[in-house]
Short mmCIF file of all heavy atoms in Angstrom, two decimals:
data_model
loop_
_atom_site.label_atom_id
_atom_site.label_comp_id
_atom_site.label_asym_id
_atom_site.label_seq_id
_atom_site.Cartn_x
_atom_site.Cartn_y
_atom_site.Cartn_z
N ASP O 24 -2.82 6.82 -13.66
CA ASP O 24 -1.38 7.13 -13.99
C ASP O 24 -0.75 8.22 -13.16
O ASP O 24 -0.82 9.41 -13.49
CB ASP O 24 -1.30 7.59 -15.48
CG ASP O 24 -1.77 6.48 -16.45
OD1 ASP O 24 -1.46 5.33 -16.13
OD2 ASP O 24 -2.38 6.82 -17.43
N HIS O 25 -0.20 7.90 -12.06
CA HIS O 25 0.54 8.72 -11.21
C HIS O 25 -0.27 9.93 -10.62
O HIS O 25 0.27 10.90 -10.26
CB HIS O 25 1.78 9.25 -11.91
CG HIS O 25 2.59 8.12 -12.57
ND1 HIS O 25 3.21 7.18 -11.82
CD2 HIS O 25 2.85 7.84 -13.85
CE1 HIS O 25 3.87 6.38 -12.60
NE2 HIS O 25 3.62 6.69 -13.82
N PHE O 26 -1.58 9.81 -10.62
CA PHE O 26 -2.39 10.79 -10.02
C PHE O 26 -2.21 10.88 -8.50
O PHE O 26 -2.49 11.86 -7.85
CB PHE O 26 -3.85 10.49 -10.31
CG PHE O 26 -4.80 11.75 -10.16
CD1 PHE O 26 -4.66 12.82 -10.92
CD2 PHE O 26 -5.80 11.71 -9.19
CE1 PHE O 26 -5.46 13.91 -10.79
CE2 PHE O 26 -6.61 12.76 -9.00
CZ PHE O 26 -6.45 13.87 -9.86
N TYR O 27 -1.68 9.75 -7.90
CA TYR O 27 -1.38 9.76 -6.45
C TYR O 27 -0.24 10.70 -6.10
O TYR O 27 -0.04 10.99 -4.89
CB TYR O 27 -1.17 8.32 -5.93
CG TYR O 27 0.00 7.57 -6.72
CD1 TYR O 27 1.30 7.70 -6.27
CD2 TYR O 27 -0.38 6.84 -7.76
CE1 TYR O 27 2.23 7.00 -6.96
CE2 TYR O 27 0.63 6.05 -8.45
CZ TYR O 27 1.96 6.21 -8.07
OH TYR O 27 2.93 5.56 -8.75
N TYR O 28 0.48 11.17 -7.09
CA TYR O 28 1.52 12.17 -6.76
C TYR O 28 0.99 13.53 -6.35
O TYR O 28 1.68 14.31 -5.76
CB TYR O 28 2.45 12.37 -7.96
CG TYR O 28 3.45 11.28 -8.23
CD1 TYR O 28 3.45 10.64 -9.46
CD2 TYR O 28 4.27 10.83 -7.22
CE1 TYR O 28 4.36 9.54 -9.71
CE2 TYR O 28 5.18 9.79 -7.48
CZ TYR O 28 5.20 9.18 -8.66
OH TYR O 28 6.02 8.15 -8.90
N LEU O 29 -0.36 13.63 -6.52
CA LEU O 29 -0.99 14.85 -6.11
C LEU O 29 -1.10 14.90 -4.53
O LEU O 29 -1.24 16.02 -3.99
CB LEU O 29 -2.37 14.88 -6.72
CG LEU O 29 -3.16 16.22 -6.57
CD1 LEU O 29 -2.41 17.38 -7.16
CD2 LEU O 29 -4.51 16.04 -7.36
N ILE O 30 -1.03 13.77 -3.90
CA ILE O 30 -1.20 13.71 -2.38
C ILE O 30 -0.11 14.58 -1.71
O ILE O 30 -0.46 15.41 -0.94
CB ILE O 30 -1.23 12.27 -1.87
CG1 ILE O 30 -2.42 11.59 -2.44
CG2 ILE O 30 -1.12 12.19 -0.39
CD1 ILE O 30 -2.42 10.06 -2.22
N PRO O 31 1.20 14.40 -2.01
CA PRO O 31 2.16 15.23 -1.31
C PRO O 31 2.09 16.75 -1.74
O PRO O 31 2.30 17.60 -0.90
CB PRO O 31 3.52 14.63 -1.68
CG PRO O 31 3.30 13.70 -2.79
CD PRO O 31 1.80 13.33 -2.74
N ILE O 32 1.62 16.92 -2.99
CA ILE O 32 1.49 18.32 -3.38
C ILE O 32 0.38 19.02 -2.61
O ILE O 32 0.56 20.14 -2.14
CB ILE O 32 1.19 18.38 -4.95
CG1 ILE O 32 2.38 17.90 -5.72
CG2 ILE O 32 0.71 19.79 -5.36
CD1 ILE O 32 2.12 17.64 -7.12
N LEU O 33 -0.73 18.28 -2.41
CA LEU O 33 -1.84 18.83 -1.57
C LEU O 33 -1.42 18.98 -0.14
O LEU O 33 -1.84 19.92 0.53
CB LEU O 33 -3.06 17.92 -1.62
CG LEU O 33 -3.80 17.90 -2.94
CD1 LEU O 33 -4.88 16.88 -2.91
CD2 LEU O 33 -4.35 19.33 -3.33
N TRP O 34 -0.57 18.10 0.37
CA TRP O 34 -0.05 18.18 1.71
C TRP O 34 0.73 19.45 1.88
O TRP O 34 0.56 20.16 2.91
CB TRP O 34 0.72 16.97 2.04
CG TRP O 34 0.99 16.66 3.51
CD1 TRP O 34 0.22 17.16 4.48
CD2 TRP O 34 2.02 15.96 4.08
NE1 TRP O 34 0.68 16.74 5.72
CE2 TRP O 34 1.82 15.99 5.52
CE3 TRP O 34 3.07 15.24 3.58
CZ2 TRP O 34 2.68 15.27 6.34
CZ3 TRP O 34 3.91 14.51 4.48
CH2 TRP O 34 3.74 14.59 5.81
N ILE O 35 1.61 19.78 0.95
CA ILE O 35 2.38 20.99 0.99
C ILE O 35 1.52 22.23 0.85
O ILE O 35 1.73 23.20 1.70
CB ILE O 35 3.49 20.94 -0.11
CG1 ILE O 35 4.49 19.87 0.14
CG2 ILE O 35 4.19 22.30 -0.24
CD1 ILE O 35 5.35 19.51 -1.03
N ILE O 36 0.57 22.20 -0.03
CA ILE O 36 -0.37 23.32 -0.14
C ILE O 36 -1.18 23.56 1.15
O ILE O 36 -1.28 24.67 1.65
CB ILE O 36 -1.32 23.15 -1.33
CG1 ILE O 36 -0.57 23.24 -2.63
CG2 ILE O 36 -2.38 24.16 -1.31
CD1 ILE O 36 -1.31 22.78 -3.84
N GLY O 37 -1.63 22.41 1.75
CA GLY O 37 -2.34 22.56 3.03
C GLY O 37 -1.41 23.07 4.10
O GLY O 37 -1.87 23.88 4.96
N TYR O 38 -0.17 22.70 4.15
CA TYR O 38 0.75 23.25 5.08
C TYR O 38 0.86 24.78 5.06
O TYR O 38 0.83 25.48 5.99
CB TYR O 38 2.10 22.60 4.98
CG TYR O 38 3.16 23.24 5.89
CD1 TYR O 38 3.28 22.81 7.19
CD2 TYR O 38 4.05 24.20 5.42
CE1 TYR O 38 4.28 23.32 8.02
CE2 TYR O 38 5.01 24.77 6.24
CZ TYR O 38 5.13 24.34 7.54
OH TYR O 38 6.03 24.84 8.38
N PHE O 39 0.98 25.25 3.74
CA PHE O 39 1.11 26.69 3.58
C PHE O 39 -0.21 27.41 3.93
O PHE O 39 -0.21 28.52 4.41
CB PHE O 39 1.60 27.01 2.18
CG PHE O 39 3.08 26.79 2.04
CD1 PHE O 39 3.50 25.80 1.25
CD2 PHE O 39 4.02 27.53 2.73
CE1 PHE O 39 4.84 25.49 1.06
CE2 PHE O 39 5.32 27.27 2.55
CZ PHE O 39 5.77 26.29 1.74
N LEU O 40 -1.32 26.80 3.55
CA LEU O 40 -2.67 27.38 3.88
C LEU O 40 -2.86 27.46 5.37
O LEU O 40 -3.40 28.41 5.96
CB LEU O 40 -3.77 26.54 3.19
CG LEU O 40 -3.94 26.69 1.70
CD1 LEU O 40 -4.98 25.73 1.21
CD2 LEU O 40 -4.25 28.18 1.29
N LYS O 41 -2.39 26.38 6.09
CA LYS O 41 -2.60 26.38 7.52
C LYS O 41 -1.75 27.48 8.17
O LYS O 41 -2.17 28.07 9.20
CB LYS O 41 -2.17 24.99 8.09
CG LYS O 41 -2.33 24.80 9.55
CD LYS O 41 -1.97 23.41 10.03
CE LYS O 41 -2.13 23.24 11.45
NZ LYS O 41 -1.83 21.88 11.93
N HIS O 42 -0.61 27.82 7.71
CA HIS O 42 0.22 28.79 8.25
C HIS O 42 -0.08 30.21 7.71
O HIS O 42 0.65 31.19 8.06
CB HIS O 42 1.67 28.44 8.11
CG HIS O 42 2.02 27.26 8.93
ND1 HIS O 42 1.89 25.97 8.54
CD2 HIS O 42 2.49 27.19 10.25
CE1 HIS O 42 2.26 25.17 9.51
NE2 HIS O 42 2.65 25.86 10.60
N SER O 43 -1.02 30.33 6.88
CA SER O 43 -1.48 31.66 6.33
C SER O 43 -2.48 32.17 7.23
O SER O 43 -3.38 31.53 7.71
CB SER O 43 -2.01 31.43 4.95
OG SER O 43 -2.65 32.65 4.49
#
Side-chain angles (χ1 to χ4, degrees):
D24 299 323
H25 309 294
F26 198 64
Y27 55 88
Y28 285 124
L29 190 56
I30 294 170
I32 294 169
L33 290 176
W34 197 23
I35 292 167
I36 292 170
Y38 174 83
F39 286 112
L40 288 173
K41 184 176 180 180
H42 291 88
S43 169

